[in-house]
Amino acid sequence: MKNIWEQFMNMPILAHLASAVFVVCFLVFIVLRGMDEYTRHNEAVIVPDVKGLQMEEAAIFFKNNGLRYVIVESVYSKEVKPGAIVSVNPSFGEKVKEGRIIYVTINETGTEKATIPDVADLSFRQALMKLQTQGFTTIETKYIAGPFQDLAIAVECNGRELKPGESVPLTSRLILKVSDGKMGGDSDNSDAIQSDETGTVRPN
């Protein structure tokens, strides 16, 4: 070892530099190789396209690809069946590492709902537009006795007056109660009503 060290010390300066560069490159190679093995850089799987599948079906695809999943949200979508997967994060087709957690959003199993807006003291047209903006499509108008013509009073469903902010299915049959501008008579004891072609209910 003493002779080797003496020979090394007697080498030209360029030889010393070359040896140092070789040692540094070797160490860098070892470090990079170790990091590559640790992070499994070359091991990736594709997030499967499970949109529209029920969670039980999609779970098989995730397992076969070495992925885990968590349901994080439920939304309403007309694109897929109730309870089916709407989207995932990371998205379908993306490359991820094996064992990655996939965050799943599923379609609600119930009917889509919306809240009833406050229509009191609005004009008939304003109240109707508010209900339609919320997504309600089955809306009839019932005129009842009141001092102001075409003034919205309340919204009714299944014989019950709804409170502003109350959540009901969008498929509900709503009745928009509107003042007819004629005083006298109680709305609960009003005459028989009939519907015209537009769904407006007027007193006989």
Side-chain angles (χ1 to χ4, degrees), residues 32-41:
L32 292 177
R33 184 62 181 269
M35 291 180 61
D36 188 53
E37 291 293 330
Y38 177 77
T39 60
R40 295 181 295 178
H41 179 71

Side-chain angles (χ1 to χ4, degrees), residues 44-48 50 53 55-69 96-100 102:
V45 294
I46 305 296
V47 178
V50 293
L53 297 182
M55 203 61 248
E56 295 80 6
E57 301 172 295
I60 299 175
F61 286 91
F62 288 136
K63 183 178 180 180
N64 291 341
N65 286 277
L67 300 172
R68 296 176 293 163
Y69 68 89
V96 297
K97 295 175 185 176
E98 187 177 349
R100 173 71 181 270
I102 305 299

